[in-house]
Amino acid sequence: MLKYFKQLSLNRGGWLLLLISTIALESTALYFQHGMGLAPCVMCIYERVALFGITFSALIGLLYPRALILRLLALLVGLGSAVKGLLLAIKHVDYQLNPAPWNQCSYMAEFPQTLPLDRWLPYVFNPTGSCAEISWSFLGFSMAQWIVVIFAFYSLLLAVLLISQFKRVEQTRNIFK
């Protein structure tokens, strides 16, 4: 099994699939925000940034997946972003399931002064909603709960891909790869 995941990380196809999946999720988030009128909260915006981290890692992996340094960098950036996104989503679910005056998020995004994403791209990164509000659900689960599932999947996948890098695979020469 590790051999399969190692081979997957050595080819651009796997990285392209990761990139397409994250772009599809980001597009869905923007559709929910601007098409359906659902206001994103601060935690939604932070989760969006974590998903952009996974997108960035997929772009790094697409550059030259056979280079060990780039592949490891892509996996570490992606895994770090996925774990951070998972922790943010779990906290977001806590805000929704246990609403209280002492258990709520800020109403303003707190980006560093050197990277004020909410001012550079307010269309994407400006929070206008409340973290405790559940405005959408599917199969009985809120959007934040689905985000936990998504980030848990990405965390598991990227962790297995990182572990698979220690598996030895025989090199075959193929001019078409």
Side-chain angles (χ1 to χ4, degrees):
M1 179 176 94
L2 288 178
K3 182 178 176 181
Y4 171 76
F5 282 105
K6 172 97 181 240
Q7 286 295 341
L8 189 65
S9 71
L10 290 171
N11 297 316
R12 285 194 171 100
W15 294 105
L16 183 62
L17 184 61
L18 181 65
L19 179 67
I20 290 170
S21 72
T22 58
I23 289 173
L25 288 170
E26 291 289 354
S27 300
T28 303
L30 288 173
Y31 172 73
F32 280 136
Q33 179 179 353
H34 298 289
M36 293 176 62
L38 301 179
C41 66
V42 170
M43 295 303 283
C44 297
I45 297 300
Y46 292 158
E47 291 158 3
R48 195 176 285 180
V49 171
L51 196 56
F52 272 117
I54 299 171
T55 304
F56 182 67
S57 75
L59 288 171
I60 294 171
L62 267 173
L63 288 177
Y64 187 62
R66 297 231 176 240
L68 179 65
I69 298 295
L70 282 178
R71 196 170 61 246
L72 287 177
L73 177 66
L75 289 170
L76 289 173
V77 167
L79 183 60
S81 295
V83 169
K84 182 63 176 176
L86 178 62
L87 295 173
L88 287 167
I90 289 170
K91 185 67 175 162
H92 191 178
V93 169
D94 180 50
Y95 288 147
Q96 288 182 342
L97 297 180
N98 303 308
W102 57 85
N103 190 28
Q104 52 185 296
C105 64
S106 169
Y107 285 101
M108 295 184 60
E110 297 171 9
F111 291 113
Q113 289 182 358
T114 56
L115 194 66
L117 295 176
D118 54 337
R119 283 186 274 158
W120 290 350
L121 293 170
Y123 184 78
V124 178
F125 296 111
N126 189 27
T128 55
S130 170
C131 293
E133 180 183 340
I134 298 176
S135 56
W136 181 89
S137 64
F138 179 67
L139 298 177
F141 295 106
S142 70
M143 191 179 302
Q145 290 170 323
W146 282 110
I147 297 294
V148 168
V149 172
I150 290 167
F151 277 121
F153 172 77
Y154 279 136
S155 297
L156 181 65
L157 174 69
L158 291 164
V160 169
L161 283 169
L162 185 62
I163 292 168
S164 74
Q165 300 309 301
F166 299 105
K167 176 79 174 162
R168 287 180 98 31
V169 176
E170 59 276 352
Q171 294 286 336
T172 58
R173 289 212 165 276
N174 188 345
I175 61 173
F176 298 108
K177 282 190 178 178

